[in-house]
Amino acid sequence: MEEIKTLPLSKNIHPDVNILKYIYNKSLEDPESFWRKVAEDLFWYEKNGPVFEPIDSPPYCYWFPYWKTNLSYNTLDRHIESWRKNKVAYYWEGENYEKKVLTYYDLYKEVNRFAYVLKNLGVKKGDRITIYMPVIPELPISMLACTRIGAIHSVVFSGFASYALAERINDCQSKIVITVDGTFRRGKLINTKKIVDEALNYTKSVEKVLVIKRADIEVEMMEDRDYWYDELKPSSYPYVEPERIEGIHPSFILYTSGTTGKPKGITHGTGGYMVWAYFTQKAVFDINDKDIFWCTADIGWITGHTYAVYGPLLAGATLFIYEGAPDYPRPDRWWEMIEAYGITILYTSPTAIRMHMKYGEEWIKCHDISSLRLLGSVGEPINPEVWNWYYKYVGQERCPIVDTWWQTETGGIMISPQPGLALVPLKAGSATLPLPGVDADVFTEDGKSAKPNEKGYLVIKRPWPGCLIGIWNNHERLKSQYYSKFPNVYYTGDFAIKDKDGYFWLLGRADEVLKVAGHRIGTAELEAAFLSHPAVAEAAVIGKSDPIKMQVPVAFVVLRPGHIPSPQLRIELINHIKETIGPIATPQSIYFVNKLPKTRSGKIMRRILLAVIEERDTGDVTTLEDETSVEEAKRAYEELKRMIEEIP
Ligand code: WT7
C-alpha cells in the first residue's frame, strides 16, 4: 500500500483529512440541515416539508417528497439567466473528426425544440421513452427534453442488440423510441434503425419512433410510426414550460444486470438524484468555470448519465464528449483531443487505462497534455500498477487521481477522494473515504463490522440522496436484492476492506455479476441467452481474469440430444449472443461438455469451472466449494479437464 501525497489543487483546497472528517461528521449528525443547504444552491418551485422522510420497510427514505423542481430547468434555464448563457456546455467530436459546439443557450433552445416535438407526439408526464443512440449531442438533448416535461427516459446503451433492446422496452412499456438512422464505429457503419426495427417485432407498447439523421443512410420508415426528427422539428425555438416535478417522481430508468436472467430497471427520483449529482460533481471533481471536463463513459451507462450530462450541467461546467473508439484511427486519439480542447479533468475506467498502457506512453509523449489537472477512475478496482502508470504518464506526477467507487443504484459517487472539499493523502489502489452522507462499512458474514484489514461485504448503513427509488415493475426485488442480506442496511454486492486509517479498498463483486471492461454483465442473463438457442440444454458462464478487460465471459455448454459439438456451432453460438445481448457480452471461449459439475443440491460448481480454465492445480480446488467434499471437488475438476480436452 504505497502512499503518495499529492499537491493541493488550488488555493482554497485544504490538504487536510481533519476538515473532511469534520464535514463528514456534520452530514451524519444533522442530515436535514446539511442537504437542505446543498439543495439551496439549486432552483425549486416549492420547498414544502422535510428534506427526507424515512419509510420503515425497506429502510430507505423519500428525498424531498413534497418539494417541486425540474432537472431540465436546473441544468439549463438557471444558467441562461446568468452570465453562463453563452458559455460552452458541450464540445462534441465524432469519430471522423466532425465537430459541434453548443453553448448553454444553444442547448436550451435545442432542448425546448425537442420537448415541443415530444409534446406534439402526445408525450405526457410519467410516460416512458426509450433512447437508443450513440454519443451525439441529440442524446443529452433528448434526455433533457424528457425531464423537462416529466417523461421518464430509459437510455439503452447503443451497443446492445435487438433482443436486449426489446426486453428493456417491454419492461417499462415505452411509448416512444428515439434513435438514429445509423452510426460509425472504427469506421464501420452500424445500422442502428434496423436493430430498432427488429426489436419492435417483439414489442407492443411503442407508438412512435423518432429518427435522428446521423449517418445519412437510407432506412425503412414505417408509415404512421416512424418520423424523421428533422421533419417534425420547428424552425423557430418554441418555449416549453418545464413541468413542476415532485422530488420523488422518477426521472429515469437505467437497466443493469443482476443475479437473475432479467435486467433490473434501476429507477432514480428527481430531487435526491439532482442534489446528489450536483454535490458529488463539486466535491469530487472540484469543478470550476475554467474546466473542460471529459467523462469518457458512454452516456448509455450511469457514469455518462451523472457525469456526462446531469452533474456537470447542474454545476454549469463545460463538457467534452466523443462518439468514437478510443484508438481510432490511431492509439493517440485521446491524447490528441485532450491537447486540442485543453481538457482539464479526465474521468475514465481502468480498462481504458490498461488499453492505453498496452499501447505505450510513447503515444502520449507526442502530445502536450499539460492542461490536465485532475484524473478520475471508475467501474472496477484500479490496481496499484495501473494507478501508478496513470499517475506518472497521464497525470505527469502532478494530477491527483480520484478513484471513485459507486454503482448504477447509488446515482453518483459514494467513496472517493474529494478534492472539492479537502484533499487527503492518496494511496494507490484505494478509493479512500466515503462522501458526506455515506455511512459506509464493511460487514462480516454475520452482519458485524469487520476488523481493520479484514475482508467483508461493503454496506451502506443509512439512506443517501442519490439512492435508487425502486426497481421498475418490481418493488419486491428492491427489498430482496438490497435490503435483505443484512437487515436495515443497503447491501452493495461488493467485497471490500477498510484499513487502519479508515480507507476503503474495493475488491470486486461478491455475487455472480461479471465486470467486463467496466460493464456489468450478469452470468444468469448470459446463461438465459444461451438457453434461448435451440441446440443448448444447459449453460454455465463464469468470468475469467483478463489483463485488459478485468474479466471476460467464458461459457460451458451442454448440448441437446441430436446436436454435435463443432467449431461451426461454436461460432453460431457466439453470433447468437452478439445478436441477442450485444458484442459487449461476447464470450471469449465456449467449452462443450457432457455435463456440468454440480453440488449435491444441484448448484453449479462455478469455482471448479474457473479453476480449470485458469489452469490452477487441484490443490487449490479442494477448498473451493462449500457443500462439497475434497474428493468430489477433485473428481469434478479432473472430469471437467478431461472433457474440455477431448471435445473439439
Ligand atoms: C460496480 C457497479 C458506477 C459507475 C460504473 C459502474 C464496481 C465501480 C469501482 C471502483 C472498484 C468499482 C463495483 C460496483 N466498481 N467503481 N472505483 N473500484 N470497483 O456501474 O455497472 O452499476 O457497476 O462496479 O463492483 O458494484 P455499475
Side-chain angles (χ1 to χ4, degrees), residues 16 27 40 74 86 114 125 160 181 195 204 215 222 235 272 379 401 405 497 517 537 575 609 622:
D16 186 349
S27 77
E40 264 155 18
N74 272 290
N86 293 316
F114 212 110
K125 182 179 169 198
F160 278 118
D181 49 354
I195 302 174
K204 289 207 183 78
M222 191 194 270
S235 49
I401 296 177
W405 178 89
I497 60 172
N575 285 336
L609 298 175
T622 49

Side-chain angles (χ1 to χ4, degrees), residues 473-613:
N473 254 342
N474 203 339
H475 202 69
E476 275 315 298
R477 198 166 163 196
L478 178 73
K479 291 190 208 174
S480 62
Q481 193 85 40
Y482 305 106
Y483 298 97
S484 65
K485 183 162 174 80
F486 303 111
N488 299 319
V489 303
Y490 172 86
Y491 171 61
T492 62
D494 272 25
F495 285 127
I497 60 172
K498 201 162 124 176
D499 69 17
K500 60 174 188 350
D501 300 324
Y503 278 38
F504 285 81
W505 298 75
L506 283 310
L507 306 174
R509 299 289 306 184
D511 56 12
E512 254 118 53
V513 170
L514 308 185
K515 271 289 177 167
V516 180
H519 305 312
R520 201 154 141 183
I521 295 175
T523 52
E525 213 175 314
L526 264 172
E527 286 160 10
F530 271 108
L531 290 176
S532 69
H533 188 280
V536 178
E538 273 189 282
V541 174
I542 53 165
K544 184 184 170 193
S545 313
D546 182 85
I548 303 273
K549 295 180 171 178
M550 183 165 149
Q551 284 186 307
V552 287
V554 167
F556 292 83
V557 169
V558 181
L559 294 176
R560 283 182 188 283
H563 294 271
I564 300 157
S566 69
Q568 289 87 324
L569 184 55
R570 191 173 280 126
I571 294 169
E572 193 180 315
L573 289 176
I574 288 184
N575 285 336
H576 178 70
I577 296 295
K578 280 191 189 162
E579 281 156 23
T580 47
I581 303 187
I584 49 163
T586 308
Q588 193 199 49
S589 12
I590 297 178
Y591 298 103
F592 292 115
V593 291
N594 301 326
K595 64 174 200 179
L596 291 169
K598 287 187 187 151
T599 64
R600 264 165 284 173
S601 63
K603 250 179 58 197
I604 295 168
M605 298 158 131
R606 289 173 189 280
R607 282 179 281 187
I608 299 274
L609 298 175
L610 193 61
V612 170
I613 53 153

